Amino acid sequence: MSYIKVSNLSKRFVRRGQSTEALSGINLDIDQGSFVSFIGPSGCGKSTLLRVIGGLMNAEEGDVTVGGRTPLEMQSDKQFGFVPQVPALFSWRTVLQNMNIPFEVNRKSKIDLAEQKGDPIELLQSVGLGDFMHAYPRELSGGMKQRVGIARAFGSGAPTLLMDEPFSALDEITRELLMHQLMKIWEQHKKTVIFVTHNIQEAIYLSDKVVIMSSRPGRVSYVIDIDLPRPRNEAIIETPEFYKYLVQLRELLRERWE
Ligand SMILES: Nc1ncnc2c1ncn2[C@@H]1O[C@H](COP(=O)(O)OP(=O)(O)OP(=O)(O)O)[C@@H](O)[C@H]1O
């Protein structure tokens, strides 16, 4: 049975009397512990869908359940970890102290998470920040800050992570490095991840499933299973199987832009 189930979901925004159908008739089944990427033209509703699944926004029509409960219930029980484009780090706290924020928040709200929190030091080491635990955010590059955001989400005890273009503000080389580190940390922790991206290579490399969306209205056009062996590493990008997915996704996406 799927862990995240989206049934016939539609979402409309009305702004200055003008209505936008951001999502229309979305159906999706996402397994627990899987990595699913959403890709599609700008404005096709990727972020809106992520927000509805994460209980940050309601939809007028349809239904979403996460582990059999509503997104709002799951959200108020801190069952979601969010990784935005730019992570929110407290400037007056060290990297290690920033790692503890989710627990302090949960302790205050007296929430016991089902999952154990990860060891913050180990998590920082696995994203290559072992030597920066006692540094302050101002001493970190953009890529390093994002690595703290990712490590913190994996250590947060939340079983589902929602990532909205977490690498979009980074240069190409840093982005590739973080993609590999995200893969490694995910393979250790196997949380359910919803990942919004514009990058085809990233989507294939990381995912079990890639959801291709189209715009006006935002719909799911294709769901592609990525049957590449795990654990994956850089070498897989050079294989003919990976290249086949690259060509397939590029073609399907081009259709959506035309
Ligand atoms: N709060 C809002 N009020 C009004 N319209 C909105 C709001 N949020 C999103 N929209 C509209 O809904 C549609 C989907 O937006 P959304 O941000 O979900 O797309 P996206 O696929 O994530 O885009 P991008 O790839 O550019 O980030 C767009 O037409 C957008 O203008």
Side-chain angles (χ1 to χ4, degrees):
M1 210 180 84
S2 60
Y3 182 64
I4 301 179
K5 193 163 183 59
V6 180
S7 314
N8 229 351
L9 188 83
S10 297
K11 167 86 192 160
R12 186 172 292 115
F13 290 108
V14 181
R15 227 169 112 241
R16 293 194 206 108
Q18 230 190 326
S19 167
T20 308
E21 208 173 352
L23 298 171
S24 173
I26 307 276
N27 290 295
L28 274 176
D29 287 295
I30 294 174
D31 290 339
Q32 188 157 29
S34 65
F35 197 116
V36 180
S37 292
F38 290 77
I39 193 164
S42 185
C44 70
K46 302 178 293 292
S47 299
T48 303
L49 183 54
L50 179 132
R51 285 191 207 124
V52 173
I53 291 173
L56 300 175
M57 200 178 253
N58 282 323
E60 296 81 37
E61 273 174 52
D63 197 36
V64 180
T65 55
V66 181
R69 299 169 69 200
T70 68
L72 200 62
E73 285 169 347
M74 293 298 265
Q75 207 250 329
S76 50
D77 270 0
K78 304 286 185 277
Q79 298 292 307
F80 298 121
F82 290 91
V83 181
Q85 285 179 12
V86 180
L89 302 179
F90 288 152
S91 60
W92 61 91
R93 288 181 162 215
T94 65
V95 164
L96 193 56
Q97 288 164 346
N98 265 287
M99 290 286 286
N100 279 325
I101 292 169
F103 302 102
E104 291 166 21
V105 173
N106 293 342
R107 213 176 298 134
K108 272 192 194 142
S109 5
K110 300 199 167 42
I111 286 168
D112 282 329
L113 285 162
E115 287 199 10
Q116 279 296 308
K117 72 169 184 169
D119 174 358
I121 295 176
E122 216 173 273
L123 284 158
L124 286 171
Q125 281 166 343
S126 67
V127 294
L129 288 179
D131 292 339
F132 287 86
M133 279 185 290
H134 305 298
Y136 286 89
R138 64 175 176 277
E139 300 170 88
L140 307 181
S141 68
M144 289 158 102
K145 285 182 196 157
Q146 194 51 281
R147 282 190 258 171
V148 178
I150 289 170
R152 184 171 63 184
F154 275 93
S156 72
T160 304
L161 303 184
L162 305 166
M163 305 192 178
D164 197 354
E165 296 188 54
F167 305 153
S168 63
L170 307 174
D171 65 78
E172 194 55 31
I173 302 296
T174 309
R175 185 184 188 121
E176 252 187 49
L177 181 73
L178 259 72
M179 173 178 91
H180 296 305
Q181 288 180 336
L182 173 57
M183 167 65 85
K184 270 208 252 157
I185 201 169
W186 177 82
E187 282 183 340
Q188 283 160 14
H189 295 266
K190 288 279 162 76
K191 288 176 186 268
T192 310
V193 176
I194 306 283
F195 185 84
V196 171
T197 181
H198 280 118
N199 187 301
I200 304 176
Q201 191 193 58
E202 210 167 85
I204 300 168
Y205 182 71
L206 292 165
S207 307
D208 296 305
K209 265 183 196 187
V210 178
V211 178
I212 299 183
M213 295 182 67
S214 56
S215 51
R216 289 190 198 92
R219 287 183 193 278
V220 170
S221 303
Y222 302 98
V223 179
I224 311 293
D225 288 316
I226 308 294
D227 290 323
L228 293 171
R230 291 191 185 272
R232 296 177 190 164
N233 59 33
E234 285 108 302
I236 207 156
I237 295 173
E238 310 299 330
T239 63
E241 291 76 18
F242 192 95
Y243 186 70
K244 254 202 246 166
Y245 281 119
L246 206 61
V247 172
Q248 184 191 9
L249 261 74
R250 229 181 245 148
E251 275 175 12
L252 294 176
L253 275 162
R254 202 173 291 143
E255 253 178 46
R256 297 296 109 194
W257 254 271
E258 279 163 7

